[in-house]
PDB file of all heavy atoms in Angstrom:
ATOM      1  N   ILE A 263       3.981  89.113 146.405  1.00  0.00           N
ATOM      2  CA  ILE A 263       3.656  89.417 145.011  1.00  0.00           C
ATOM      3  C   ILE A 263       2.692  90.594 144.924  1.00  0.00           C
ATOM      4  O   ILE A 263       1.527  90.505 144.581  1.00  0.00           O
ATOM      5  CB  ILE A 263       3.091  88.205 144.202  1.00  0.00           C
ATOM      6  CG1 ILE A 263       3.977  87.009 144.469  1.00  0.00           C
ATOM      7  CG2 ILE A 263       3.070  88.546 142.715  1.00  0.00           C
ATOM      8  CD1 ILE A 263       3.633  85.789 143.583  1.00  0.00           C
ATOM      9  N   ALA A 264       3.259  91.731 145.365  1.00  0.00           N
ATOM     10  CA  ALA A 264       2.562  93.029 145.214  1.00  0.00           C
ATOM     11  C   ALA A 264       1.330  93.120 146.079  1.00  0.00           C
ATOM     12  O   ALA A 264       0.395  93.882 145.772  1.00  0.00           O
ATOM     13  CB  ALA A 264       2.232  93.326 143.743  1.00  0.00           C
ATOM     14  N   VAL A 265       1.289  92.289 147.129  1.00  0.00           N
ATOM     15  CA  VAL A 265       0.119  92.411 148.072  1.00  0.00           C
ATOM     16  C   VAL A 265       0.429  93.344 149.260  1.00  0.00           C
ATOM     17  O   VAL A 265      -0.383  94.190 149.623  1.00  0.00           O
ATOM     18  CB  VAL A 265      -0.251  91.017 148.606  1.00  0.00           C
ATOM     19  CG1 VAL A 265      -1.256  91.118 149.774  1.00  0.00           C
ATOM     20  CG2 VAL A 265      -0.893  90.201 147.499  1.00  0.00           C
ATOM     21  N   ASN A 318     -13.335  88.659 147.178  1.00  0.00           N
ATOM     22  CA  ASN A 318     -12.266  88.246 148.087  1.00  0.00           C
ATOM     23  C   ASN A 318     -10.907  87.994 147.397  1.00  0.00           C
ATOM     24  O   ASN A 318      -9.954  87.691 148.049  1.00  0.00           O
ATOM     25  CB  ASN A 318     -12.715  86.963 148.808  1.00  0.00           C
ATOM     26  CG  ASN A 318     -14.071  87.085 149.398  1.00  0.00           C
ATOM     27  OD1 ASN A 318     -14.291  87.832 150.320  1.00  0.00           O
ATOM     28  ND2 ASN A 318     -14.984  86.400 148.770  1.00  0.00           N
ATOM     29  N   SER A 319     -10.888  88.135 146.107  1.00  0.00           N
ATOM     30  CA  SER A 319      -9.635  87.823 145.383  1.00  0.00           C
ATOM     31  C   SER A 319      -9.661  88.467 144.041  1.00  0.00           C
ATOM     32  O   SER A 319     -10.671  88.990 143.539  1.00  0.00           O
ATOM     33  CB  SER A 319      -9.464  86.321 145.225  1.00  0.00           C
ATOM     34  OG  SER A 319     -10.443  85.848 144.324  1.00  0.00           O
ATOM     35  N   GLY A 320      -8.509  88.380 143.374  1.00  0.00           N
ATOM     36  CA  GLY A 320      -8.411  88.957 141.984  1.00  0.00           C
ATOM     37  C   GLY A 320      -9.222  88.181 140.992  1.00  0.00           C
ATOM     38  O   GLY A 320      -9.948  88.781 140.157  1.00  0.00           O
ATOM     39  N   ALA A 321      -9.144  86.862 141.087  1.00  0.00           N
ATOM     40  CA  ALA A 321      -9.879  86.062 140.142  1.00  0.00           C
ATOM     41  C   ALA A 321     -11.388  86.350 140.264  1.00  0.00           C
ATOM     42  O   ALA A 321     -12.057  86.476 139.261  1.00  0.00           O
ATOM     43  CB  ALA A 321      -9.627  84.565 140.368  1.00  0.00           C
ATOM     44  N   GLU A 322     -11.894  86.496 141.449  1.00  0.00           N
ATOM     45  CA  GLU A 322     -13.275  86.812 141.638  1.00  0.00           C
ATOM     46  C   GLU A 322     -13.656  88.204 141.100  1.00  0.00           C
ATOM     47  O   GLU A 322     -14.766  88.364 140.589  1.00  0.00           O
ATOM     48  CB  GLU A 322     -13.628  86.776 143.146  1.00  0.00           C
ATOM     49  CG  GLU A 322     -13.763  85.406 143.747  1.00  0.00           C
ATOM     50  CD  GLU A 322     -14.086  85.495 145.233  1.00  0.00           C
ATOM     51  OE1 GLU A 322     -15.080  86.119 145.613  1.00  0.00           O
ATOM     52  OE2 GLU A 322     -13.280  84.965 145.997  1.00  0.00           O
ATOM     53  N   ALA A 323     -12.742  89.089 141.228  1.00  0.00           N
ATOM     54  CA  ALA A 323     -13.000  90.429 140.675  1.00  0.00           C
ATOM     55  C   ALA A 323     -13.121  90.355 139.179  1.00  0.00           C
ATOM     56  O   ALA A 323     -14.026  90.958 138.577  1.00  0.00           O
ATOM     57  CB  ALA A 323     -11.866  91.416 141.098  1.00  0.00           C
ATOM     58  N   ASN A 324     -12.244  89.583 138.555  1.00  0.00           N
ATOM     59  CA  ASN A 324     -12.274  89.439 137.109  1.00  0.00           C
ATOM     60  C   ASN A 324     -13.536  88.635 136.693  1.00  0.00           C
ATOM     61  O   ASN A 324     -14.119  88.928 135.621  1.00  0.00           O
ATOM     62  CB  ASN A 324     -10.995  88.775 136.572  1.00  0.00           C
ATOM     63  CG  ASN A 324      -9.848  89.759 136.568  1.00  0.00           C
ATOM     64  OD1 ASN A 324     -10.107  90.987 136.467  1.00  0.00           O
ATOM     65  ND2 ASN A 324      -8.648  89.282 136.723  1.00  0.00           N
ATOM     66  N   SER A 348      -1.058  87.515 129.276  1.00  0.00           N
ATOM     67  CA  SER A 348      -1.843  88.111 130.368  1.00  0.00           C
ATOM     68  C   SER A 348      -1.956  87.098 131.505  1.00  0.00           C
ATOM     69  O   SER A 348      -1.664  85.864 131.349  1.00  0.00           O
ATOM     70  CB  SER A 348      -3.238  88.471 129.864  1.00  0.00           C
ATOM     71  OG  SER A 348      -3.928  87.280 129.456  1.00  0.00           O
ATOM     72  N   PHE A 349      -2.433  87.562 132.611  1.00  0.00           N
ATOM     73  CA  PHE A 349      -2.793  86.663 133.735  1.00  0.00           C
ATOM     74  C   PHE A 349      -4.012  87.287 134.449  1.00  0.00           C
ATOM     75  O   PHE A 349      -3.949  88.425 134.871  1.00  0.00           O
ATOM     76  CB  PHE A 349      -1.666  86.475 134.754  1.00  0.00           C
ATOM     77  CG  PHE A 349      -2.064  85.564 135.898  1.00  0.00           C
ATOM     78  CD1 PHE A 349      -2.025  84.202 135.694  1.00  0.00           C
ATOM     79  CD2 PHE A 349      -2.476  86.109 137.081  1.00  0.00           C
ATOM     80  CE1 PHE A 349      -2.488  83.321 136.715  1.00  0.00           C
ATOM     81  CE2 PHE A 349      -2.893  85.200 138.088  1.00  0.00           C
ATOM     82  CZ  PHE A 349      -2.858  83.860 137.936  1.00  0.00           C
ATOM     83  N   HIS A 350      -5.115  86.519 134.498  1.00  0.00           N
ATOM     84  CA  HIS A 350      -6.267  87.070 135.107  1.00  0.00           C
ATOM     85  C   HIS A 350      -6.868  86.190 136.211  1.00  0.00           C
ATOM     86  O   HIS A 350      -7.927  86.516 136.758  1.00  0.00           O
ATOM     87  CB  HIS A 350      -7.381  87.289 134.022  1.00  0.00           C
ATOM     88  CG  HIS A 350      -6.973  88.298 132.986  1.00  0.00           C
ATOM     89  ND1 HIS A 350      -6.702  89.651 133.306  1.00  0.00           N
ATOM     90  CD2 HIS A 350      -6.803  88.209 131.679  1.00  0.00           C
ATOM     91  CE1 HIS A 350      -6.377  90.273 132.188  1.00  0.00           C
ATOM     92  NE2 HIS A 350      -6.410  89.445 131.189  1.00  0.00           N
ATOM     93  N   GLY A 351      -6.197  85.084 136.547  1.00  0.00           N
ATOM     94  CA  GLY A 351      -6.633  84.285 137.698  1.00  0.00           C
ATOM     95  C   GLY A 351      -6.762  82.835 137.366  1.00  0.00           C
ATOM     96  O   GLY A 351      -6.485  82.426 136.221  1.00  0.00           O
ATOM     97  N   ARG A 352      -7.222  82.016 138.344  1.00  0.00           N
ATOM     98  CA  ARG A 352      -7.182  80.566 138.223  1.00  0.00           C
ATOM     99  C   ARG A 352      -8.554  79.908 138.168  1.00  0.00           C
ATOM    100  O   ARG A 352      -8.621  78.713 138.182  1.00  0.00           O
ATOM    101  CB  ARG A 352      -6.434  80.008 139.414  1.00  0.00           C
ATOM    102  CG  ARG A 352      -4.999  80.538 139.597  1.00  0.00           C
ATOM    103  CD  ARG A 352      -4.104  80.023 138.526  1.00  0.00           C
ATOM    104  NE  ARG A 352      -2.762  80.133 138.910  1.00  0.00           N
ATOM    105  CZ  ARG A 352      -1.793  79.212 138.657  1.00  0.00           C
ATOM    106  NH1 ARG A 352      -2.100  78.107 137.960  1.00  0.00           N
ATOM    107  NH2 ARG A 352      -0.570  79.412 139.054  1.00  0.00           N
ATOM    108  N   THR A 353      -9.623  80.703 138.153  1.00  0.00           N
ATOM    109  CA  THR A 353     -10.951  80.095 138.014  1.00  0.00           C
ATOM    110  C   THR A 353     -11.072  79.721 136.547  1.00  0.00           C
ATOM    111  O   THR A 353     -10.261  80.191 135.707  1.00  0.00           O
ATOM    112  CB  THR A 353     -12.086  81.030 138.370  1.00  0.00           C
ATOM    113  OG1 THR A 353     -12.027  82.139 137.488  1.00  0.00           O
ATOM    114  CG2 THR A 353     -11.947  81.499 139.836  1.00  0.00           C
ATOM    115  N   THR A 356     -11.479  82.821 134.294  1.00  0.00           N
ATOM    116  CA  THR A 356     -10.289  83.715 134.263  1.00  0.00           C
ATOM    117  C   THR A 356      -9.055  83.052 133.707  1.00  0.00           C
ATOM    118  O   THR A 356      -8.207  83.771 133.110  1.00  0.00           O
ATOM    119  CB  THR A 356     -10.018  84.304 135.695  1.00  0.00           C
ATOM    120  OG1 THR A 356      -9.766  83.281 136.593  1.00  0.00           O
ATOM    121  CG2 THR A 356     -11.155  85.184 136.128  1.00  0.00           C
ATOM    122  N   THR A 360      -6.792  84.115 130.417  1.00  0.00           N
ATOM    123  CA  THR A 360      -5.339  84.233 130.582  1.00  0.00           C
ATOM    124  C   THR A 360      -4.596  83.715 129.338  1.00  0.00           C
ATOM    125  O   THR A 360      -4.832  82.575 128.952  1.00  0.00           O
ATOM    126  CB  THR A 360      -4.901  83.424 131.864  1.00  0.00           C
ATOM    127  OG1 THR A 360      -5.413  84.077 133.002  1.00  0.00           O
ATOM    128  CG2 THR A 360      -3.358  83.303 131.930  1.00  0.00           C
ATOM    129  N   MET A 399     -10.141  93.066 127.439  1.00  0.00           N
ATOM    130  CA  MET A 399      -9.664  92.999 128.818  1.00  0.00           C
ATOM    131  C   MET A 399      -8.149  92.880 128.800  1.00  0.00           C
ATOM    132  O   MET A 399      -7.583  92.078 128.059  1.00  0.00           O
ATOM    133  CB  MET A 399     -10.262  91.720 129.423  1.00  0.00           C
ATOM    134  CG  MET A 399      -9.828  91.455 130.844  1.00  0.00           C
ATOM    135  SD  MET A 399     -10.937  90.125 131.447  1.00  0.00           S
ATOM    136  CE  MET A 399     -10.315  89.902 133.050  1.00  0.00           C
ATOM    137  N   GLU A 401      -4.195  94.010 131.106  1.00  0.00           N
ATOM    138  CA  GLU A 401      -3.433  94.635 132.220  1.00  0.00           C
ATOM    139  C   GLU A 401      -2.614  95.752 131.623  1.00  0.00           C
ATOM    140  O   GLU A 401      -1.800  95.514 130.727  1.00  0.00           O
ATOM    141  CB  GLU A 401      -2.492  93.620 132.870  1.00  0.00           C
ATOM    142  CG  GLU A 401      -3.122  92.311 133.423  1.00  0.00           C
ATOM    143  CD  GLU A 401      -2.102  91.159 133.370  1.00  0.00           C
ATOM    144  OE1 GLU A 401      -1.194  91.182 134.267  1.00  0.00           O
ATOM    145  OE2 GLU A 401      -2.146  90.314 132.542  1.00  0.00           O
ATOM    146  N   ILE A 403      -0.009  97.002 132.774  1.00  0.00           N
ATOM    147  CA  ILE A 403       1.289  96.399 132.873  1.00  0.00           C
ATOM    148  C   ILE A 403       1.124  94.921 133.236  1.00  0.00           C
ATOM    149  O   ILE A 403       0.597  94.626 134.292  1.00  0.00           O
ATOM    150  CB  ILE A 403       2.250  97.064 133.912  1.00  0.00           C
ATOM    151  CG1 ILE A 403       2.390  98.536 133.601  1.00  0.00           C
ATOM    152  CG2 ILE A 403       3.625  96.362 133.920  1.00  0.00           C
ATOM    153  CD1 ILE A 403       3.302  99.268 134.531  1.00  0.00           C
ATOM    154  N   GLN A 404       1.488  94.024 132.329  1.00  0.00           N
ATOM    155  CA  GLN A 404       1.352  92.603 132.597  1.00  0.00           C
ATOM    156  C   GLN A 404       2.341  92.235 133.699  1.00  0.00           C
ATOM    157  O   GLN A 404       3.550  92.483 133.539  1.00  0.00           O
ATOM    158  CB  GLN A 404       1.626  91.789 131.333  1.00  0.00           C
ATOM    159  CG  GLN A 404       0.544  91.957 130.279  1.00  0.00           C
ATOM    160  CD  GLN A 404       0.799  91.074 129.020  1.00  0.00           C
ATOM    161  OE1 GLN A 404       1.928  90.642 128.807  1.00  0.00           O
ATOM    162  NE2 GLN A 404      -0.288  90.730 128.329  1.00  0.00           N
ATOM    163  N   GLY A 405       1.835  91.598 134.746  1.00  0.00           N
ATOM    164  CA  GLY A 405       2.696  91.209 135.813  1.00  0.00           C
ATOM    165  C   GLY A 405       3.309  89.819 135.667  1.00  0.00           C
ATOM    166  O   GLY A 405       4.491  89.645 135.416  1.00  0.00           O
ATOM    167  N   GLU A 406       2.457  88.794 135.738  1.00  0.00           N
ATOM    168  CA  GLU A 406       2.906  87.410 135.656  1.00  0.00           C
ATOM    169  C   GLU A 406       3.514  87.179 134.241  1.00  0.00           C
ATOM    170  O   GLU A 406       4.346  86.260 134.089  1.00  0.00           O
ATOM    171  CB  GLU A 406       1.741  86.469 135.840  1.00  0.00           C
ATOM    172  CG  GLU A 406       1.022  86.555 137.160  1.00  0.00           C
ATOM    173  CD  GLU A 406       1.979  86.578 138.360  1.00  0.00           C
ATOM    174  OE1 GLU A 406       2.730  85.552 138.524  1.00  0.00           O
ATOM    175  OE2 GLU A 406       1.984  87.543 139.086  1.00  0.00           O
ATOM    176  N   ASP A 434      -7.438  95.227 134.148  1.00  0.00           N
ATOM    177  CA  ASP A 434      -7.086  94.422 135.294  1.00  0.00           C
ATOM    178  C   ASP A 434      -5.928  95.147 135.957  1.00  0.00           C
ATOM    179  O   ASP A 434      -4.766  95.048 135.526  1.00  0.00           O
ATOM    180  CB  ASP A 434      -6.732  93.010 134.850  1.00  0.00           C
ATOM    181  CG  ASP A 434      -6.289  92.090 136.004  1.00  0.00           C
ATOM    182  OD1 ASP A 434      -5.940  92.651 137.081  1.00  0.00           O
ATOM    183  OD2 ASP A 434      -6.332  90.880 135.824  1.00  0.00           O
ATOM    184  N   GLU A 435      -6.194  95.843 137.083  1.00  0.00           N
ATOM    185  CA  GLU A 435      -5.134  96.566 137.803  1.00  0.00           C
ATOM    186  C   GLU A 435      -4.861  95.844 139.136  1.00  0.00           C
ATOM    187  O   GLU A 435      -4.450  96.499 140.109  1.00  0.00           O
ATOM    188  CB  GLU A 435      -5.565  98.002 138.043  1.00  0.00           C
ATOM    189  CG  GLU A 435      -5.730  98.816 136.746  1.00  0.00           C
ATOM    190  CD  GLU A 435      -4.934 100.107 136.762  1.00  0.00           C
ATOM    191  OE1 GLU A 435      -4.084 100.367 137.677  1.00  0.00           O
ATOM    192  OE2 GLU A 435      -5.204 100.986 135.883  1.00  0.00           O
ATOM    193  N   ILE A 436      -5.090  94.573 139.150  1.00  0.00           N
ATOM    194  CA  ILE A 436      -4.910  93.805 140.356  1.00  0.00           C
ATOM    195  C   ILE A 436      -3.491  93.856 140.856  1.00  0.00           C
ATOM    196  O   ILE A 436      -3.235  93.999 142.052  1.00  0.00           O
ATOM    197  CB  ILE A 436      -5.423  92.346 140.147  1.00  0.00           C
ATOM    198  CG1 ILE A 436      -6.929  92.363 140.012  1.00  0.00           C
ATOM    199  CG2 ILE A 436      -4.894  91.408 141.242  1.00  0.00           C
ATOM    200  CD1 ILE A 436      -7.529  91.131 139.423  1.00  0.00           C
ATOM    201  N   GLN A 437      -2.542  93.798 139.919  1.00  0.00           N
ATOM    202  CA  GLN A 437      -1.109  93.872 140.316  1.00  0.00           C
ATOM    203  C   GLN A 437      -0.561  95.319 140.175  1.00  0.00           C
ATOM    204  O   GLN A 437       0.212  95.783 140.996  1.00  0.00           O
ATOM    205  CB  GLN A 437      -0.286  92.879 139.508  1.00  0.00           C
ATOM    206  CG  GLN A 437       1.130  92.716 140.034  1.00  0.00           C
ATOM    207  CD  GLN A 437       1.790  91.448 139.524  1.00  0.00           C
ATOM    208  OE1 GLN A 437       2.995  91.445 139.359  1.00  0.00           O
ATOM    209  NE2 GLN A 437       1.080  90.379 139.240  1.00  0.00           N
ATOM    210  N   CYS A 438      -1.017  96.021 139.144  1.00  0.00           N
ATOM    211  CA  CYS A 438      -0.382  97.297 138.834  1.00  0.00           C
ATOM    212  C   CYS A 438      -1.091  98.465 139.452  1.00  0.00           C
ATOM    213  O   CYS A 438      -0.633  99.658 139.352  1.00  0.00           O
ATOM    214  CB  CYS A 438      -0.197  97.526 137.321  1.00  0.00           C
ATOM    215  SG  CYS A 438      -1.775  97.639 136.456  1.00  0.00           S
ATOM    216  N   THR A 460     -10.496  96.113 137.725  1.00  0.00           N
ATOM    217  CA  THR A 460     -10.480  95.150 138.839  1.00  0.00           C
ATOM    218  C   THR A 460      -9.319  95.361 139.713  1.00  0.00           C
ATOM    219  O   THR A 460      -8.196  95.723 139.244  1.00  0.00           O
ATOM    220  CB  THR A 460     -10.488  93.725 138.302  1.00  0.00           C
ATOM    221  OG1 THR A 460      -9.427  93.590 137.338  1.00  0.00           O
ATOM    222  CG2 THR A 460     -11.805  93.394 137.639  1.00  0.00           C
ATOM    223  N   ALA A 462      -7.311  93.932 143.549  1.00  0.00           N
ATOM    224  CA  ALA A 462      -7.200  92.956 144.635  1.00  0.00           C
ATOM    225  C   ALA A 462      -5.846  93.178 145.240  1.00  0.00           C
ATOM    226  O   ALA A 462      -5.551  94.279 145.677  1.00  0.00           O
ATOM    227  CB  ALA A 462      -7.407  91.514 144.127  1.00  0.00           C
ATOM    228  N   LYS A 463      -4.998  92.156 145.243  1.00  0.00           N
ATOM    229  CA  LYS A 463      -3.617  92.249 145.808  1.00  0.00           C
ATOM    230  C   LYS A 463      -3.446  93.320 146.872  1.00  0.00           C
ATOM    231  O   LYS A 463      -3.785  93.079 147.978  1.00  0.00           O
ATOM    232  CB  LYS A 463      -2.655  92.382 144.643  1.00  0.00           C
ATOM    233  CG  LYS A 463      -2.612  91.150 143.715  1.00  0.00           C
ATOM    234  CD  LYS A 463      -1.248  90.660 143.324  1.00  0.00           C
ATOM    235  CE  LYS A 463      -1.215  89.236 142.922  1.00  0.00           C
ATOM    236  NZ  LYS A 463      -1.608  88.966 141.557  1.00  0.00           N
ATOM    237  N   ILE A 471      -8.958  90.984 149.839  1.00  0.00           N
ATOM    238  CA  ILE A 471     -10.155  91.628 149.339  1.00  0.00           C
ATOM    239  C   ILE A 471      -9.945  91.909 147.852  1.00  0.00           C
ATOM    240  O   ILE A 471      -8.852  92.132 147.392  1.00  0.00           O
ATOM    241  CB  ILE A 471     -10.449  92.968 150.077  1.00  0.00           C
ATOM    242  CG1 ILE A 471     -11.741  93.646 149.519  1.00  0.00           C
ATOM    243  CG2 ILE A 471      -9.278  93.896 150.053  1.00  0.00           C
ATOM    244  CD1 ILE A 471     -12.205  94.805 150.405  1.00  0.00           C
ATOM    245  N   GLY A 472     -11.017  91.815 147.091  1.00  0.00           N
ATOM    246  CA  GLY A 472     -10.984  92.149 145.655  1.00  0.00           C
ATOM    247  C   GLY A 472     -12.150  93.099 145.382  1.00  0.00           C
ATOM    248  O   GLY A 472     -13.085  93.167 146.165  1.00  0.00           O
ATOM    249  N   MET A 549       7.123  98.655 139.774  1.00  0.00           N
ATOM    250  CA  MET A 549       6.825  97.396 139.111  1.00  0.00           C
ATOM    251  C   MET A 549       7.800  97.191 138.031  1.00  0.00           C
ATOM    252  O   MET A 549       7.633  97.762 136.925  1.00  0.00           O
ATOM    253  CB  MET A 549       5.375  97.473 138.628  1.00  0.00           C
ATOM    254  CG  MET A 549       4.806  96.170 138.054  1.00  0.00           C
ATOM    255  SD  MET A 549       3.055  96.271 137.817  1.00  0.00           S
ATOM    256  CE  MET A 549       2.752  94.656 137.148  1.00  0.00           C
ATOM    257  N   ARG A 581      11.631  89.892 138.781  1.00  0.00           N
ATOM    258  CA  ARG A 581      10.536  90.852 139.049  1.00  0.00           C
ATOM    259  C   ARG A 581      10.782  91.507 140.410  1.00  0.00           C
ATOM    260  O   ARG A 581      11.040  90.845 141.400  1.00  0.00           O
ATOM    261  CB  ARG A 581       9.210  90.122 139.058  1.00  0.00           C
ATOM    262  CG  ARG A 581       8.053  91.023 139.556  1.00  0.00           C
ATOM    263  CD  ARG A 581       6.717  90.426 139.288  1.00  0.00           C
ATOM    264  NE  ARG A 581       6.542  89.003 139.730  1.00  0.00           N
ATOM    265  CZ  ARG A 581       5.378  88.334 139.622  1.00  0.00           C
ATOM    266  NH1 ARG A 581       4.347  88.938 139.061  1.00  0.00           N
ATOM    267  NH2 ARG A 581       5.319  87.089 140.029  1.00  0.00           N
TER     268      ARG A 581
HETATM  269  C1  LIG B 751      -2.666  87.987 141.003  1.00  0.00           C
HETATM  270  C2  LIG B 751      -3.417  88.455 139.811  1.00  0.00           C
HETATM  271  C3  LIG B 751      -4.736  88.004 139.598  1.00  0.00           C
HETATM  272  C4  LIG B 751      -5.371  86.889 140.402  1.00  0.00           C
HETATM  273  O1  LIG B 751      -5.594  87.284 141.740  1.00  0.00           O
HETATM  274  P1  LIG B 751      -5.966  86.197 142.839  1.00  0.00           P
HETATM  275  O2  LIG B 751      -6.204  86.981 144.063  1.00  0.00           O
HETATM  276  O3  LIG B 751      -4.768  85.238 142.962  1.00  0.00           O
HETATM  277  O4  LIG B 751      -7.178  85.468 142.371  1.00  0.00           O
HETATM  278  C5  LIG B 751      -5.433  88.491 138.514  1.00  0.00           C
HETATM  279  N1  LIG B 751      -4.894  89.438 137.678  1.00  0.00           N
HETATM  280  C6  LIG B 751      -3.665  89.885 137.855  1.00  0.00           C
HETATM  281  C7  LIG B 751      -3.078  90.944 136.984  1.00  0.00           C
HETATM  282  C8  LIG B 751      -2.850  89.431 138.957  1.00  0.00           C
HETATM  283  O5  LIG B 751      -1.649  89.898 139.154  1.00  0.00           O
END
Side-chain angles (χ1 to χ4, degrees):
I263 314 189
V265 168
N318 312 290
S319 69
E322 283 178 59
N324 285 332
S348 64
F349 181 80
H350 297 300
R352 303 290 199 141
T353 63
T356 58
T360 292
M399 180 166 177
E401 304 154 74
I403 302 183
Q404 292 184 334
E406 302 308 302
D434 178 342
E435 296 230 14
I436 289 165
Q437 191 162 149
C438 65
T460 52
K463 295 224 158 85
I471 180 168
M549 186 166 180
R581 170 169 50 180

